[in-house]
């Protein structure tokens, strides 16, 4: 008798590269909950075994240590390619390796998908829009990216990966899916990854002043990780002709200063907001147009920023309170 998963679908064996990372570990959990087998692939550069510790005894979960800049020989039915450092602190620490992970990693995973004739999803990024001159950003906007700046190893690496995905689609008729992920936050973010949500929460929990860059008027849109994962799965399960790119993010826009004030309000304490110079090429505004995600995938975010921050603060409070703080990440 064929087993049917809880969603009425035949179970699949699914590979998630970067599966022990912040987003990847949540995706692995969600796929297991849908009745699939999950092969989690990670080299633990920014991912952590602790992120999937609760899955290690699951009968349908397998963990493989592997760097996708080297060829991969496995048998699966679908591939989610999430492998790449995603925060400035991490991707600028070894920019050459970051670029290799995006480009050579894409070549290797696309080659695997071509051999197996299986669908593959690329976790791209809103960073392909650079410091946008169009607001909000729609998928047909080509972006405003500095190709030789300190962020270009990530921005241009992801742009090149998108090129590879679409060329494999055109040349080899490969079933591809490309999603552009906007700012995402939630439990299992690395406390020292330099992202604004984790920075503010950790600083406030420690009673330190909260550091903003510039005057804090630059804007971001923050998507809770559970909403993002729903979007990734919806994209993978969409009809073959839906290839993207499709923006996945929360269109509710906040200034960095508003975020800092909300974190201070939720945590309390004596933290003040202090200003530092704005880093080079830091985008002044970022907001997704999610019309395609809504109309094509039936996807909308459901978790408001305040609710998501409460859950994320609880996670970091536990992490800091138990002495489980990971070793500090290398500085750029």
């Amino acid at each position: 008798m064929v087993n049917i998963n809880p969603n009425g679908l035949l179970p699949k064996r699914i590979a998630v590269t970067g599966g022990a990372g912040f987003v990847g570990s949540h995706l692995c959990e969600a796929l297991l909950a849908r009745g699939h087998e999950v092969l989690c692939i990670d080299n633990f550069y920014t991912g952590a075994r602790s992120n999937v510790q609760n899955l290690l005894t699951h009968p349908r979960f397998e963990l493989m240590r592997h760097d996708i800049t080297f060829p991969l020989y496995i048998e699966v039915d679908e591939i989610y390619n999430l492998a790449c450092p995603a925060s400035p602190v991490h991707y600028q620490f070894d920019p050459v390796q970051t670029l290799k992970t995006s480009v050579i990693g894409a070549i290797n995973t696309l080659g695997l998908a071509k051999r197996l004739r299986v669908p593959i999803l690329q976790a791209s990024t809103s960073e392909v829009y650079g410091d946008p001159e169009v607001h909000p950003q729609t998928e047909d906007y080509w972006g405003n990216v500095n190709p030789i700046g300190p962020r270009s190893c990530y921005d241009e690496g992801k742009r090149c990966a998108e090129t590879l995905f679409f060329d494999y689609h055109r040349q080899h008729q490969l079933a591809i899916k490309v999603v552009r992920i906007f700012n995402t936050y939630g439990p299992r973010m690395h406390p020292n990854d330099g992202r604004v949500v984790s920075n503010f929460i950790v600083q406030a929990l420690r009673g330190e002043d909260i550091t903003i860059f510039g005057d804090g008027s630059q804007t971001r849109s923050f998507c809770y990780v559970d909403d993002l994962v729903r979007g990734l799965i919806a994209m993978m399960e969409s009809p073959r002709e839906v290839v993207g790119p499709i923006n996945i993010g929360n269109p509710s826009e906040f200034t960095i200063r508003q975020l800092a004030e909300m974190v201070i309000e939720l945590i309390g304490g004596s933290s003040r907001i202090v200003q530092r110079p704005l880093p080079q090429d830091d985008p002044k505004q970022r907001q997704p147009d999610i019309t395609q995600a809504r109309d094509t995938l039936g996807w909308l975010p459901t978790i408001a920023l305040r609710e998501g921050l409460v859950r994320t603060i609880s996670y970091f409070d536990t992490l800091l309170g138990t002495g489980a703080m990971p070793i500090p990440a290398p500085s750029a």
Side-chain angles (χ1 to χ4, degrees), residues 217-293:
S217 62
Q218 62 270 42
T219 66
R220 297 291 185 272
S221 303
F222 302 100
C223 184
Y224 190 69
V225 64
D226 290 359
D227 280 335
L228 170 65
V229 166
R230 282 194 302 103
L232 296 178
I233 294 174
M235 183 64 168
M236 181 62 94
E237 294 182 350
S238 64
R240 183 185 175 96
E241 61 269 18
V242 178
V243 299
I246 289 184
N247 292 335
I248 298 291
N250 193 320
S252 298
E253 190 178 17
F254 295 85
T255 68
I256 297 301
R257 183 172 288 274
Q258 285 176 318
L259 174 68
E261 290 169 348
M262 190 179 297
V263 168
I264 291 172
E265 175 196 342
L266 291 172
I267 293 177
S270 57
S271 297
R272 299 175 300 114
I273 296 175
V274 296
Q275 295 180 205
R276 296 287 184 269
L278 196 66
Q280 181 182 344
D281 299 331
D282 191 59
K284 300 177 186 65
Q285 53 187 9
R286 191 62 64 70
Q287 181 190 20
D289 183 309
I290 60 169
T291 303
Q292 282 201 50

Side-chain angles (χ1 to χ4, degrees), residues 50-297:
S50 59
N51 286 339
V52 293
Q53 189 68 39
N54 62 319
L55 304 179
L56 294 178
T57 58
H58 195 292
R60 288 184 277 104
F61 180 80
E62 182 181 351
L63 178 61
M64 173 188 291
R65 184 166 192 155
H66 181 81
D67 185 331
I68 65 163
T69 61
F70 297 92
L72 186 61
Y73 301 99
I74 55 175
E75 301 291 331
V76 292
D77 302 308
E78 287 178 353
I79 303 167
Y80 288 81
N81 184 33
L82 275 63
C84 188
S87 73
V89 166
H90 291 145
Y91 68 63
Q92 291 175 5
F93 178 69
D94 190 346
V96 172
Q97 187 62 31
T98 295
L99 197 60
K100 285 182 177 179
T101 301
S102 285
V103 178
I104 300 175
I107 291 170
N108 286 336
T109 53
L110 285 163
L112 175 65
K114 178 189 170 190
R115 177 176 67 83
L116 299 176
R117 304 307 301 175
V118 300
I120 179 169
L121 181 145
Q122 166 69 1
S124 191
T125 172
S126 61
E127 297 292 336
V128 300
Y129 299 123
D131 188 4
E133 298 172 337
V134 171
H135 192 73
Q137 291 79 60
T138 56
E139 291 88 348
D140 59 357
Y141 176 53
W142 291 357
N144 177 37
V145 176
N146 178 358
I148 58 171
R151 301 171 70 101
S152 60
C153 61
Y154 185 66
D155 302 357
E156 296 288 33
K158 288 289 191 176
R159 286 163 69 95
C160 184
E162 286 196 16
T163 301
L164 285 163
F165 266 71
F166 278 89
D167 282 339
Y168 266 78
H169 175 63
R170 286 184 286 258
Q171 186 172 340
H172 302 295
Q173 294 73 54
L174 191 63
I176 67 163
K177 308 283 183 179
V178 176
V179 169
R180 290 175 177 165
I181 298 172
F182 282 68
N183 289 67
T184 303
Y185 70 101
R188 299 185 202 138
M189 295 183 78
H190 196 293
N192 301 304
D193 68 3
R195 296 192 229 198
V196 64
V197 172
S198 52
N199 271 4
F200 289 179
I201 291 174
V202 169
Q203 286 176 329
L205 285 172
R206 288 173 167 169
E208 301 169 355
D209 291 337
I210 287 184
T211 306
I212 64 173
F213 295 96
D215 62 4
S217 62
Q218 62 270 42
T219 66
R220 297 291 185 272
S221 303
F222 302 100
C223 184
Y224 190 69
V225 64
D226 290 359
D227 280 335
L228 170 65
V229 166
R230 282 194 302 103
L232 296 178
I233 294 174
M235 183 64 168
M236 181 62 94
E237 294 182 350
S238 64
R240 183 185 175 96
E241 61 269 18
V242 178
V243 299
I246 289 184
N247 292 335
I248 298 291
N250 193 320
S252 298
E253 190 178 17
F254 295 85
T255 68
I256 297 301
R257 183 172 288 274
Q258 285 176 318
L259 174 68
E261 290 169 348
M262 190 179 297
V263 168
I264 291 172
E265 175 196 342
L266 291 172
I267 293 177
S270 57
S271 297
R272 299 175 300 114
I273 296 175
V274 296
Q275 295 180 205
R276 296 287 184 269
L278 196 66
Q280 181 182 344
D281 299 331
D282 191 59
K284 300 177 186 65
Q285 53 187 9
R286 191 62 64 70
Q287 181 190 20
D289 183 309
I290 60 169
T291 303
Q292 282 201 50
R294 181 195 65 206
D295 295 347
T296 305
L297 307 178

Side-chain angles (χ1 to χ4, degrees), residues 1-5 9-11:
M1 180 177 178
V2 177
N3 292 323
I4 303 295
N5 69 22
L9 303 172
L10 289 174

